[in-house]
Amino acid sequence: MSTSTGEIIKQYLESNDYSLADLAYASNVSLKTIYRIISDESKLPYEVAYGLNKLISEISVEFILGYDAKYQMEKAQFLSENNLTASSCNNLVSRFHLKKLYPNWLGDNISLVKQGMAIFGKENFLNGIFEINQLSNVAFSKANFANEESTRAWLYTTYYECNDKTQPLEFNQIEFEKEFNNLIKLCGITNFETSIKVISQFCKKSGINFYFRKSIPNARVKAVTIKDKYNHVYIFMSDLFKCVENLWLAFIHECIHIHKGDLNTKSETLNNSNTIDERYVDEMVAESLLGELYFDIFNNPDINTLADISNKKKIPIGLVVEIYRFQSKDYTNPLYNQYLHFFTNKQIDAVTSYF
């Protein structure tokens, strides 16, 4: 469908340094009338077409009126075929913040709805958009992401694109608890690609829908776990990890959420609180790996102590170092970093192709 007449007029005005008020004055109509045209709430009247021509002479009255007639016919056909109204499209866009979620989508509200239906499928888009907002609300109740709109968009696209490819797995609590006890043995793997494959296999056995996805700009989320209304459990991980050890600790973190049952709506979260303490879960990760030796990191944080803890607990020193780095916020020390397994964008691109 063509871009709306209002959007075209707005682009012409902006590129020629005119305001909406300038067009209202040239057309001898109210600014409210111009707003209604720009927002695609009314057809283009002759006087506004004439006013636009007065401001920008290369845009003839005949051209812009002809464009609007063609657009209005396409719009009416689209709305009729999909049993929609202009008002329902406006409500979808405003209620679910589509312009914030998808700044690259172009056009008016009806065009945004059409693009959403084309990307996600009509039924998913019209019926499922509310559901994914509820899912992301659960995620946001657990963590304060830096950019909520971008993170919500990442969750939205990830959830629907994943479900479009395959039937969701049914979560198996018994199998998960059995596999959960083997996590400490699994997290000794230091190869990035192998780690992702093992994590994927772990999730498949437990009926967890796992996806490793590239992030989008400003979506500051490494890993998140959600449960939809059908009780399907999902773990989404992004490419924002810098090393394999950090990836493993984040995955164990998400598994502890599942183990503790921190996946429900806000009123059903830990201790009936609206906010789950992510720091507390991080400490549970460290204590489950290191036990009481976890506290030695704070009492005498040198590399020899970390190596001794690694030997006693029989876990890779890289994991101990990563726990120390997180707790101390010391991410640039070259002595500690040499024990970590950093990975490249090329490896990330190869892994994301699995999913």
Side-chain angles (χ1 to χ4, degrees):
M1 187 168 67
S2 303
T3 303
S4 72
T5 308
E7 187 69 23
I8 291 293
I9 291 175
K10 182 181 176 183
Q11 292 173 12
Y12 274 126
L13 291 173
E14 289 176 349
S15 61
N16 287 275
D17 294 325
Y18 287 114
S19 67
L20 299 183
D22 293 329
L23 178 59
Y25 181 79
S27 307
N28 196 27
V29 299
S30 68
L31 189 56
K32 183 178 180 180
T33 298
I34 300 300
Y35 280 132
R36 288 181 60 82
I37 295 167
I38 297 300
S39 60
D40 196 32
E41 294 177 12
S42 67
K43 297 179 182 179
L44 178 69
Y46 176 85
E47 54 265 42
V48 175
Y50 179 69
L52 184 64
N53 174 252
K54 284 170 63 177
L55 294 177
I56 309 171
S57 58
E58 60 264 31
I59 305 176
S60 69
V61 173
E62 293 77 11
F63 164 75
I64 198 66
L65 285 175
Y67 185 95
D68 186 60
K70 176 175 176 288
Y71 168 72
Q72 296 297 337
M73 186 170 61
E74 290 179 357
K75 181 175 77 170
Q77 182 179 353
F78 169 72
L79 294 175
S80 175
E81 288 175 350
N82 293 283
N83 196 28
L84 292 168
T85 64
S87 177
S88 65
C89 291
N90 295 340
N91 289 338
L92 275 171
V93 171
S94 62
R95 185 176 183 184
F96 302 115
H97 311 289
L98 291 187
K99 288 183 178 178
K100 290 183 179 179
L101 289 180
Y102 303 103
N104 294 327
W105 290 9
L106 301 175
D108 58 285
N109 290 350
I110 293 175
S111 295
L112 292 179
V113 171
K114 180 169 179 128
Q115 290 170 78
M117 289 168 58
I119 293 171
F120 301 111
K122 178 181 176 181
E123 185 176 351
N124 274 348
F125 185 75
L126 296 180
N127 299 329
I129 191 169
F130 179 73
E131 178 183 331
I132 196 61
N133 271 267
Q134 293 305 301
L135 291 174
S136 53
N137 284 338
V138 174
F140 293 128
S141 76
K142 297 193 294 181
N144 182 23
F145 295 115
N147 190 316
E148 183 170 316
E149 283 81 14
S150 294
T151 302
R152 195 182 295 274
W154 185 78
L155 283 166
Y156 184 94
T157 54
T158 300
Y159 179 77
Y160 276 114
E161 287 179 16
C162 292
N163 279 346
D164 187 51
K165 291 181 180 178
T166 182
Q167 185 71 21
L169 298 173
E170 298 291 335
F171 179 61
N172 187 325
Q173 184 76 42
I174 296 175
E175 196 66 27
F176 168 77
E177 296 297 341
K178 185 168 66 176
E179 295 295 325
F180 179 70
N181 294 326
N182 295 324
L183 264 184
I184 294 177
K185 299 176 185 177
L186 294 175
C187 67
I189 300 169
T190 56
N191 176 274
F192 174 58
E193 292 91 338
T194 304
S195 295
I196 293 292
K197 289 180 179 178
V198 169
I199 287 173
S200 180
Q201 291 167 2
F202 171 94
C203 289
K204 189 173 182 180
K205 287 181 181 178
S206 306
I208 297 171
N209 298 276
F210 170 74
Y211 296 96
F212 184 86
R213 307 275 290 172
K214 290 187 74 69
S215 187
I216 61 175
N218 298 319
R220 307 304 302 170
V221 53
K222 289 183 177 180
V224 64
T225 303
I226 58 176
K227 182 173 71 172
D228 65 16
K229 65 182 180 182
Y230 309 106
N231 289 325
H232 298 137
V233 175
Y234 299 81
I235 294 181
F236 300 133
M237 301 183 78
S238 78
D239 60 348
L240 297 180
F241 299 97
K242 301 303 180 186
C243 64
V244 178
E245 289 77 10
N246 187 235
L247 182 146
W248 271 110
L249 292 179
F251 179 71
I252 296 171
H253 175 112
E254 297 308 317
C255 286
I256 285 179
H257 275 307
I258 298 173
H259 176 65
K260 289 168 54 60
D262 297 338
L263 302 178
N264 299 316
T265 58
K266 291 182 180 180
S267 61
E268 298 173 313
T269 54
L270 184 65
N271 297 327
N272 292 321
S273 168
N274 284 349
T275 304
I276 294 173
D277 189 345
E278 295 292 310
R279 182 77 184 199
Y280 172 68
V281 177
D282 284 324
E283 290 176 357
M284 287 186 64
V285 172
E287 289 186 41
S288 67
L289 289 170
L290 306 181
E292 292 182 359
L293 294 177
Y294 165 58
F295 299 100
D296 291 346
I297 289 178
F298 302 101
N299 296 330
N300 188 17
D302 60 49
I303 196 63
N304 293 324
T305 299
L306 302 187
D308 185 52
I309 293 173
S310 171
N311 289 330
K312 288 179 179 178
K313 299 300 295 184
K314 294 182 172 54
I315 66 171
I317 187 172
L319 276 175
V320 183
V321 167
E322 185 58 21
I323 292 171
Y324 163 74
R325 290 202 328 151
F326 177 78
Q327 298 292 347
S328 64
K329 305 302 180 189
D330 182 11
Y331 298 114
T332 59
N333 190 317
L335 174 62
Y336 294 111
N337 289 356
Q338 68 177 318
Y339 294 96
L340 302 175
H341 296 80
F342 295 93
F343 44 79
T344 65
N345 289 333
K346 185 176 180 181
Q347 289 174 303
I348 290 172
D349 290 338
V351 165
T352 53
S353 68
Y354 299 157
F355 305 103

